[in-house]
Amino acid sequence: MDNKLLVVGTMAYDAIETPFDKVDKILGGCATYIALSACQLQVKIGVVSIVGEDFEEKHLNLLRNKHIDLSGVAILKGEKTFFWSGRYHNDLNTRTTLQTDLNVLTQFDPKVPEGWCDASIVLLGNLNPLNQAAVLNQMTTPPQLVIMDTMNYWMDHFRADLDELIPRVDVLCINDEEARQLTDQNSLVKAAKIIQGMGPKYVIIKKGEHGALLFHQQEVFCAPALPLEEIFDPTGAGDSFVGGFAAYLSQHGDISFEAMKSAIIFGSAMASFTVEKFGPQNLEILTHEKIQKRLRTFNQLTKFEIALT
Ligand code: AMP
């Protein structure tokens, strides 16, 4: 494995309301969270995305300074960056999308830079499935692993394109509500089986503060979420999770089910950092020590012994 992780997704400005606070404009977008999470490991990260002229240089530099390759990010003159706004309900597990302004996304024609057409892991972040497919079509060497995230917005508006893309994916990573919508099933176990029947060998179902499930053939692995006293802003938790998951596999050069179990714990740790502050602020200041400490906490959380007779 070449340690290259290619990410396609949105770079955005978000407006977020939680029961505690609100912000009118903060850096967001799935590719931003994915890259800021993945860069905590020793992985080469390339981003394919699009922004408008309003996208601030300081935000590009934030990513560049973390050695994230932005040569695949188009900057459209005279246009505005993708904008999303959402309001979280009191339980912080559910949210209402208030506004989605696609802006530059309507003109997005993803171009994978030359040096990235052979990346061994491709992470298709939550995006128009046609854009996700366009990235896969440009890979000159078939990736060893294709991971995909999506959301209800794309299921509602681009279902046929999504159905065409899903068979090309190895790991589908979605939340519980999306899994139910995609399969028309209430049971997540049944939903995962149906999704496996569509093509992906691995299915990850994220359950917010209740952790995540990984399905492969007949096996299931269950990862907890860290019980946090204060969740400040859940935005980007899913993206940080999948970014950490992909980076862990890439760094270890191992895409087995066993490696995925550890990768899910790493992803969960990254998500736990993200929700502690507004936007991606916590990811920006993470240290190796903080991550190690949190991984040890995860270890304690799930370690138990039981006498079997
Ligand atoms: P998450 O909380 O993990 O679902 O990710 C939130 C991020 O996704 C925000 O920063 C948004 O900018 C971005 N986002 C919201 N809606 C969409 C969409 N329809 N397509 C792509 N990205 C989106």
Side-chain angles (χ1 to χ4, degrees):
M1 245 187 182
D2 63 7
N3 205 21
K4 275 193 213 166
L5 171 63
L6 179 67
V7 178
V8 61
T10 46
M11 289 167 72
Y13 285 123
D14 293 342
I16 303 164
E17 280 179 43
T18 74
F20 324 108
D21 211 342
K22 72 187 263 200
V23 280
D24 292 336
K25 185 187 172 194
I26 194 164
L27 176 64
C30 63
T32 309
Y33 282 102
I34 289 171
L36 286 173
S37 169
C39 73
Q40 309 297 334
L41 292 179
Q42 303 303 311
V43 180
K44 292 184 198 124
I45 303 160
V47 174
V48 175
S49 190
I50 187 165
V51 295
E53 204 175 0
D54 58 337
F55 200 80
E56 293 178 47
E57 196 61 26
K58 69 172 182 201
H59 290 139
L60 291 170
N61 285 336
L62 167 77
L63 298 166
R64 285 189 192 116
N65 291 340
K66 295 193 180 286
H67 308 290
I68 295 160
D69 185 336
L70 300 184
S71 56
V73 178
I75 303 173
L76 238 63
K77 284 238 155 59
E79 300 289 342
K80 284 180 79 179
T81 298
F82 174 72
F83 173 80
W84 174 81
S85 82
R87 180 186 297 135
Y88 288 89
H89 306 152
N90 278 338
D91 65 359
L92 284 172
N93 255 337
T94 49
R95 72 181 176 203
T96 303
T97 289
L98 301 174
Q99 205 173 326
T100 302
D101 294 342
L102 295 177
N103 296 333
V104 285
L105 266 199
T106 58
Q107 300 178 55
F108 190 26
D109 179 18
K111 294 270 182 303
V112 179
E114 217 172 284
W116 287 93
C117 295
D118 59 353
S120 51
I121 300 188
V122 176
L123 174 40
L124 307 173
N126 176 24
L127 196 66
N128 183 327
L130 292 170
N131 294 150
Q132 293 175 315
V135 165
L136 273 192
N137 294 343
Q138 291 171 59
M139 301 308 288
T140 49
T141 311
Q144 290 181 33
L145 197 71
V146 177
I147 306 168
M148 179 177 129
D149 188 6
T150 188
M151 74 185 288
N152 48 2
Y153 183 89
W154 305 113
M155 290 180 205
D156 292 340
H157 302 289
F158 290 83
R159 182 60 201 251
D161 301 305
L162 200 57
D163 284 342
E164 231 175 88
L165 178 62
I166 288 176
R168 302 174 68 188
V169 168
D170 300 300
V171 185
L172 186 71
C173 182
I174 50 179
N175 73 27
D176 41 6
E177 197 189 318
E178 292 153 358
R180 291 189 172 106
Q181 178 172 347
L182 189 65
T183 59
D184 231 351
Q185 285 291 332
N186 279 326
S187 153
L188 293 180
V189 177
K190 283 187 185 159
K193 279 200 182 128
I194 292 175
I195 296 169
Q196 281 172 291
M198 295 171 168
K201 293 183 280 298
Y202 302 89
V203 178
I204 297 175
I205 300 184
K206 299 167 285 179
K207 300 188 297 151
E209 64 174 337
H210 305 298
L213 297 169
L214 166 67
F215 296 87
H216 173 56
Q217 294 173 349
Q218 303 308 317
E219 291 183 279
V220 190
F221 175 69
C222 178
L226 194 67
L228 289 166
E229 214 162 294
E230 279 187 22
I231 297 176
F232 209 64
D233 168 22
T235 309
D239 306 314
S240 312
F241 171 90
V242 76
F245 172 79
Y248 187 95
L249 297 177
S250 182
Q251 175 173 294
H252 290 83
D254 184 353
I255 52 171
S256 65
F257 184 65
E258 284 308 308
M260 284 188 193
K261 291 182 185 175
S262 311
I264 281 204
I265 298 295
F266 188 81
S268 304
M270 299 315 294
S272 74
F273 285 119
T274 296
V275 302
E276 287 178 321
K277 286 212 162 79
F278 254 113
Q281 288 170 5
N282 220 14
L283 293 179
E284 294 171 25
I285 51 162
L286 268 189
T287 60
H288 179 72
E289 287 67 34
K290 279 192 202 168
I291 296 173
Q292 292 305 305
K293 191 164 170 230
R294 188 137 301 182
L295 289 175
R296 269 194 287 278
T297 311
F298 265 90
N299 210 307
Q300 289 304 317
L301 195 65
T302 47
K303 210 160 100 187
F304 69 90
E305 287 181 16
I306 189 163
L308 293 172
T309 54

